Amino acid sequence: MRLAKKNKYSIFVRPLLWLQKRNFGAELNPSLLWGRRPPLFWLVAGFFGYLDRRHSPLSPVTRSLICVRVSQLNDCEFCVDANGMRLAERCDSVEKIKALSQWQQNSALFTDEEIAVLHYVEAMTITGQKVTEDMLSDLQQWFNEDSLVELTALIAFQNLSAKFNTALDVPAQGFCSVPTTSALKSTATADEPDTSSAQQQEPPQSKS
């Protein structure tokens, strides 16, 4: 990380760090950064805690698909790692999890509701794209206006979290094997055949 862990954290932060260590085996890296400012630490924890509550109008799988996809688009290693773990716990389809980074090419694995949500996620997250009236109209098949506010808030929050972690180079902690977008690109590049040497060794054609 670009900022070091503090030697001692506020008494208002230490209980949650202790719980993280008990539940995950280690304190979560972003918490060590947010914990430098206890009011921010608890505002962020409370914000996400509310959005990911048990009685959210968004299903657990939908919430996790949103968080992982936003994380992939922001190239946030920690976010993909942590959110991917939660998605694996909630989703019974390994194929869907693996296909999320290329969901448009694997749309048969996703429900119509999930596809509408993912279109909205990318419109909100990718620079240069915009949310359209058609997107919102499509989403209203499954979400009322209050639910749309929560859906939008979750996407916005995950963008905040991912951009914070990416800017401060927060690393993954080995919770899950879902790849980031950059990892996928690196794999694709590595799998491409190298034709340069073949072209250099190609014998000249005889002239007729």
Side-chain angles (χ1 to χ4, degrees), residues 104-173:
Q104 295 195 48
Q105 288 75 40
N106 298 277
S107 59
L109 295 171
F110 298 86
T111 67
D112 290 343
E113 176 185 336
E114 289 167 346
I115 289 171
V117 167
L118 290 170
H119 275 299
Y120 191 49
V121 164
E122 297 199 350
M124 283 186 61
T125 303
I126 298 173
T127 301
Q129 291 198 17
K130 291 184 178 181
V131 173
T132 67
E133 293 295 332
D134 287 343
M135 286 180 190
L136 290 174
S137 178
D138 198 16
L139 288 167
Q140 286 176 336
Q141 296 179 60
W142 302 280
F143 306 103
N144 61 28
E145 292 184 352
D146 289 346
S147 299
L148 279 173
V149 168
E150 288 212 26
L151 172 62
T152 305
L154 180 59
I155 298 169
F157 173 84
Q158 188 56 52
N159 270 287
L160 178 155
S161 178
K163 291 180 187 302
F164 177 90
N165 293 335
T166 303
L168 296 179
D169 198 23
V170 178
Q173 291 184 255

Side-chain angles (χ1 to χ4, degrees), residues 3 13 18-19 21 27 29 37 49 51 68 72 76 78 80 86 116 148-149 152 173 199 202:
L3 299 179
V13 171
W18 178 83
L19 283 173
K21 194 167 185 178
E27 298 154 335
N29 288 329
R37 286 289 180 265
L51 292 172
V68 174
Q72 290 175 330
C76 177
F78 174 85
V80 172
R86 182 62 62 85
L148 279 173
V149 168
T152 305
Q173 291 184 255
Q199 291 174 346
E202 185 179 345

